[in-house]
Amino acid sequence: MADVAERAGVSTSTVSRTLRGLSTVSPEVRARVEEAARELNFAVSRQAASLVTGRTGTMAVLVPTLDSWFMGAALSSLAPLLRAAGMELNVYMIADLAERTSFFERLPARRNADALLVFCFDLTDEETTRLDNLGMPVIYVSQHVEGRPSVYVDDVVGARRATRHLINLGHRRIAFAHTANVRGFSFSSRERLLGYQQALTEAGIPLDDDLVVATPPRDKRGTTQAVGNLLSLREPPTAVFAEQDELAASVISTLRTVQIQVPERVSVLGFDDQLMAEWLDLSTVAQSPSDMGRAAAELALELISDSEADRGRHIVLPTHLIPRGTTAPPPAPLGEREANGPAQGRNA
Amino acid sequence: MADVAERAGVSTSTVSRTLRGLSTVSPEVRARVEEAARELNFAVSRQAASLVTGRTGTMAVLVPTLDSWFMGAALSSLAPLLRAAGMELNVYMIADLAERTSFFERLPARRNADALLVFCFDLTDEETTRLDNLGMPVIYVSQHVEGRPSVYVDDVVGARRATRHLINLGHRRIAFAHTANVRGFSFSSRERLLGYQQALTEAGIPLDDDLVVATPPRDKRGTTQAVGNLLSLREPPTAVFAEQDELAASVISTLRTVQIQVPERVSVLGFDDQLMAEWLDLSTVAQSPSDMGRAAAELALELISDSEADRGRHIVLPTHLIPRGTTAPPPAPLGEREANGPAQGRNA
DNA sequence: GTGAAAGCGCTAACAG
DNA sequence: CTGTTAGCGCTTTCAC
């Protein structure tokens, strides 16, 4: 910066003021400084600046993974907002319990960011408390934490609607497939199960633990086994509500492999409405991680600039049921089919 | 840090030495300092540290998007390496030309990172030169730049292999579908087209521009139109090589919508080997963005710590053809089928 | 093995 | 409107 000052024939203060866009610089001096800066390829060191301002110009995000549809969409929509606000994006990815422990022990974000966005974790009270003392606004995304700023969709309601859709179609044996919860790494899964259970109970359908199956994430074999468990039940389900589109896709693929038609024999319903849902003509519950990312970024920027702002605000975004081709009425029971001909004609 | 020093009854120098793990601290003092630091929840300010060391402890990555399979996988595999090296991950996402221009003009990463990983961009010479003067190692990922460290797969070879697979199956009318190149935002696309063309030429099959179609990324309508163009040709293709799995999925979905069986009537081949390729039983060319991310991170760390290291090194990772269920021999020509009965029986 | 002191590059009063 | 000055919190000589 001294170089720029010298070249422009002014003091470093003036260079600093110019580069920060303060209006208290005369136009001609501003022009000289800007040119000098350009010629010297000068860029302000955020490090040095933050040392004195106390602000880092960085937004930190804590994520369980980066290779998921959800995180990709959320971060992609969040990034332009940060850029517009002149902030950088610092990603802390925590993939396992060891990294998690060390993160919460050392809290490396401390003093190195102006706000933290925590995505998708199922945090313990202790962890939440630890974050309270981080010295910066912490926003919870895709999860709600009592008394802290949160942005999420109502997974319970979404899952309840989804299940009701299946019930309305006439299904009574409805399975719920979820990804095995790597401890504390999936907040929504639990909530969606709850919604599923609520819908069944409301409809007077008894809960059956055998209909709830888990599979490790992105594991073809796991899905095959889970589906196998369902198919070998005394009274197998006529519909499967998968907690995520990816899982739904895997379930469909498994069913079709064994010649079980979807939706004629078994209906499958997802959650997310990823791009692939359209390709697969998958019925699903839509949520928008992009909207969540944006809302979270806006909230964070607000909390950074206005320390008076409401620190307990919850932003709840909507979900929508998108009925497509993988859900249909259940086939007629075996007895009736034999008596009345093909199930197709039952409702004609 | 002064607080920690006081609490531990030592000077800040000693605290600094302790926290950085230097061995010139006596065990008992070290213990005292560490406890004081823990009690005070102290975390070193990277900002202040970097001001004097000149190193920021940050790796910057420049990416065109975050919501793609490729970037997700690459960043997910890269993150643990950085974490192990005690570095943070700073993401610059550039989504359009305006952001791109401003990034290269201002180069905000200057002095705010120790190395820069540039992903997937089709850079101009001017941009490359600009990065040369960034004052930190710049590693190009999923693209090669003459004389600069690069990590990539050989898209030309991969695409040639893919095309050859189709030729070997008996196809002669082979289409190439690629995503419309938003100017300068897709390096691989061009290379894959080249490989496709080479394979055809080697096999003595004339190139036909009508067989090369483009569609905006992730645009169902665009795909429908592109496929429509192919189907309405005087001599339509019997195989489509899609430059990405996602595009292949979209093509298959379009074809099936109009009752054109895959692979009986038209074969479809992808590139990437995403998870969805398995669900769709999609034949494809596998590449590993995870390996690329890891290799890039390792290379970057090496270049940071060893300024003598070879700055022109290229790391080329392999691709593999994964034949699955969406590629098959072409149907017998119409004339022959009429003469000889169903195509199925032709080779019996 | 430890402390004192200088200074990294910048911003924020405060004068002028 | 601009310059001078004093740190921000750390690391790094250099003494001891």
Side-chain angles (χ1 to χ4, degrees), chain A:
Chain A
M1 187 173 261
D3 297 346
V4 178
E6 188 180 6
R7 186 169 192 117
V10 296
S11 71
T12 59
S13 315
T14 301
V15 174
S16 173
R17 283 191 275 254
T18 305
L19 265 28
R20 278 178 297 146
L22 299 192
S23 55
T24 62
V25 180
S26 73
E28 61 175 316
V29 170
R30 166 173 299 275
R32 276 215 316 277
V33 171
E34 280 173 348
E35 185 176 343
R38 198 169 336 105
E39 284 170 1
L40 293 173
N41 274 331
F42 178 79
V44 172
S45 161
R46 281 187 133 80
Q47 327 291 331
S50 76
L51 196 53
V52 33
T53 60
R55 298 193 44 209
T56 62
T58 296
M59 178 90 70
V61 301
L62 182 61
V63 303
T65 172
L66 286 168
D67 62 354
S68 69
W69 166 77
F70 186 94
M71 285 312 313
L75 293 181
S76 281
S77 69
L78 179 155
L81 285 187
L82 295 188
R83 164 165 286 273
M87 298 196 72
E88 316 228 307
L89 174 61
N90 204 163
V91 177
Y92 294 95
M93 182 179 118
I94 288 188
D96 57 40
L97 221 52
E99 290 188 348
R100 182 170 182 156
T101 309
S102 117
F103 179 89
F104 282 97
E105 193 157 303
R106 312 195 316 95
L107 286 185
R110 185 191 294 283
R111 304 217 278 161
N112 294 305
D114 297 336
L116 174 68
L117 267 34
V118 181
F119 281 87
C120 301
F121 285 93
D122 198 2
L123 298 171
T124 64
D125 287 347
E126 194 189 348
E127 286 168 338
T128 308
T129 310
R130 198 104 174 80
L131 293 181
D132 287 340
N133 299 315
L134 191 50
M136 64 181 81
V138 177
I139 292 90
Y140 297 84
V141 191
S142 194
Q143 64 197 309
H144 48 259
V145 180
E146 203 56 48
R148 279 77 161 194
S150 309
V151 179
Y152 53 92
V153 299
D154 193 332
D155 286 293
V156 179
V157 168
R160 196 161 56 194
R161 276 199 196 131
T163 310
R164 227 148 43 194
H165 167 54
L166 295 170
I167 294 172
N168 291 342
L169 284 171
H171 294 275
R172 288 296 173 272
R173 294 289 289 167
I174 301 172
F176 181 81
H178 62 103
T179 52
N181 191 0
V182 186
R183 188 150 62 102
F185 276 80
S186 172
F187 184 84
S188 305
S189 177
R190 210 181 51 200
E191 304 260 305
R192 292 178 193 166
L193 174 59
L194 209 60
Y196 156 83
Q197 291 170 332
Q198 285 182 4
L200 291 183
T201 304
E202 280 168 19
I205 302 173
L207 301 182
D208 180 349
D209 283 349
D210 288 340
L211 288 174
V212 176
V213 294
T215 162
R218 302 188 171 182
D219 177 345
K220 182 85 182 167
R221 271 184 70 84
T223 309
T224 307
Q225 284 178 16
V227 170
N229 286 346
L230 291 175
L231 294 177
S232 60
L233 288 179
R234 176 180 241 290
E235 209 183 333
T238 59
V240 179
F241 173 27
E243 171 235 333
Q244 293 175 24
D245 282 352
E246 291 193 11
L247 185 49
S250 189
V251 167
I252 290 176
S253 153
T254 305
L255 288 172
R256 291 196 170 142
T257 301
V258 293
Q259 311 289 333
I260 293 180
Q261 282 126 343
V262 177
E264 291 81 1
R265 288 283 302 286
V266 175
S267 287
V268 177
L269 182 58
F271 200 120
D272 280 348
D273 196 33
Q274 300 192 24
L275 203 58
M276 50 169 289
E278 198 179 303
W279 300 332
L280 292 170
D281 201 25
L282 175 69
S283 299
T284 192
V285 178
Q287 68 167 332
S288 172
S290 317
D291 289 347
M292 252 190 269
R294 265 187 295 269
E298 280 164 7
L299 185 50
L301 293 173
E302 185 187 329
L303 291 178
I304 289 172
S305 60
D306 174 14
S307 53
E308 301 293 290
D310 174 14
R311 311 220 149 226
R313 178 133 53 104
H314 281 208
I315 298 178
V316 185
L317 298 173
T319 58
H320 306 282
L321 176 74
I322 314 271
R324 292 203 183 91
T326 58
T327 46
L334 210 57
E336 294 182 37
R337 260 193 287 173
E338 283 167 355
N340 300 321
Q344 294 272 12
R346 286 273 296 123
N347 298 321

Side-chain angles (χ1 to χ4, degrees), chain B residues 312-326:
Chain B
R313 179 132 55 100
H314 281 207
I315 298 178
V316 185
L317 298 173
T319 59
H320 307 283
L321 177 74
I322 315 271
R324 291 204 184 89
T326 59

